[in-house]
Amino acid sequence: MSDALRLEDVCFAYAGGGRPALEHVSFALAPGERVALLGRNGAGKSTLLRLVTGLLKPAAGAVWVGDWDSRVTDPAVLARRVGSLFQHADQQLFARTVRDDVGFGPRATGRPDGEVAACVGRALAVLGLASVADQHPYDLPPPLRKLAALAGALALEPSLLVLDEPTAGLDRHARQHVAEALTARAVSGVGVLVITHDLSFAAETLGRALVLERGRLALDAPLASVLLDSARLEGLGLVAPPLARLSVALALPGSPVRARDVAGALAQRCRA
């Protein structure tokens, strides 16, 4: 089985931008793998996502989505395999109703009406949006607009999801919807790449960390090991999530970072 995503020595620079945005970046995501893309603002994270969606083309190297080469594949075609959410999700909403907006991608790829309706229904349900499906997207508060844009990515039912800050501005309940949606898609074999500063969400949902620093891939490691390294996170302008800090402070067995695992380790400590 081919990788869901593979970058091979990718370089990219914006015209007149001085320092390259990305330099010699290489990594691969397996089908079903859930990966956090971390780094300071300006590290190249959003540029990388635009390369994956085909909106930008690498100056050198190659971006592969499955066996499709993004350099020679139109973004509209890549959208059959890549579902994307950009940081400013409002820019992805344009239809008269949430339902129509979420269904745009599946319709554009030529799916039959019945299949489109089914894809849309599943995406709305998993994110808790069924009750607002017939409202205009811009009549919704910003958090629900964010979820509506994410639903559009899910409705494509792609082999890869690339998401920029999918939980920004969301409350605990909505964040749980997002976590469950991404976990379910990963279980079905979808690769998931997420830019996020929400490290509590990342700890519960994702399993691997890629860290960009000044356009270069500085670290590729299990996410838990990164979350337990407060000094490393501080160097990236990030703060370790509370449960990871608790795990380190109490030297919990197994150094857990997920809520269920931390609770189990605390119970074990109490029994001991």
Side-chain angles (χ1 to χ4, degrees):
M1 183 181 295
S2 63
D3 296 316
L5 173 66
R6 187 170 75 257
L7 273 69
E8 298 176 344
D9 202 31
V10 168
C11 300
F12 180 83
Y14 293 97
R19 180 177 58 84
L22 292 172
E23 293 187 83
H24 306 292
V25 174
S26 298
F27 65 85
L29 264 69
E33 195 169 14
R34 290 171 279 175
V35 179
L37 184 60
L38 307 178
R40 290 183 175 276
N41 292 336
K45 304 184 301 295
S46 294
T47 297
L48 192 150
L49 260 62
R50 284 173 168 77
L51 286 163
V52 174
T53 60
L55 296 176
L56 299 175
K57 304 296 183 183
V63 177
W64 295 88
V65 178
D67 58 355
W68 289 1
D69 184 344
S70 74
R71 294 170 296 181
V72 295
T73 308
D74 187 89
V77 176
L78 272 176
R80 298 173 184 269
R81 290 189 178 178
V82 183
S84 59
L85 175 72
F86 293 107
Q87 186 170 4
H88 302 293
D90 284 2
Q91 297 172 357
Q92 295 178 248
L93 302 172
F94 54 86
R96 290 175 178 268
T97 69
V98 171
R99 189 189 310 279
D100 286 344
D101 214 299
V102 174
F104 175 80
R107 283 193 300 274
T109 60
R111 298 185 187 183
D113 289 346
E115 188 175 330
V116 170
C119 293
V120 170
R122 288 190 289 268
L124 292 173
V126 75
L127 293 177
L129 294 174
S131 63
V132 299
D134 296 314
Q135 294 187 35
H136 194 290
Y138 288 100
D139 288 337
L140 303 178
L144 290 186
R145 296 203 296 271
K146 185 90 168 183
L147 289 179
L150 176 57
L154 295 180
L156 284 163
E157 300 193 341
S159 59
L160 176 67
L161 287 165
V162 291
L163 312 174
D164 195 343
E165 301 291 356
T167 61
L170 302 186
D171 63 18
R172 182 183 61 82
H173 184 65
R175 289 166 70 248
Q176 184 61 31
H177 277 309
V178 174
E180 290 172 355
L182 298 189
T183 299
R185 294 303 169 93
V187 168
S188 71
V190 176
V192 178
L193 181 63
V194 182
I195 294 174
T196 185
H197 285 79
D198 184 350
L199 297 188
S200 292
F201 166 82
E204 296 296 330
T205 312
L206 310 173
R208 174 181 167 200
L210 299 171
V211 177
L212 287 177
E213 291 183 359
R214 296 179 63 84
R216 291 183 175 271
L217 185 61
L219 184 65
D220 181 347
L223 178 61
S225 69
V226 177
L227 298 181
L228 293 165
D229 187 347
S230 293
R232 178 83 191 200
L233 289 173
E234 288 173 7
L236 297 170
L238 300 171
V239 178
L243 290 180
R245 297 200 301 272
L246 178 66
S247 182
V248 171
L250 298 181
L252 293 177
S255 300
V257 297
R258 294 181 177 176
R260 179 184 298 179
D261 298 332
V262 170
L266 285 172
Q268 180 181 343
R269 175 68 57 81
C270 291
R271 287 195 296 270

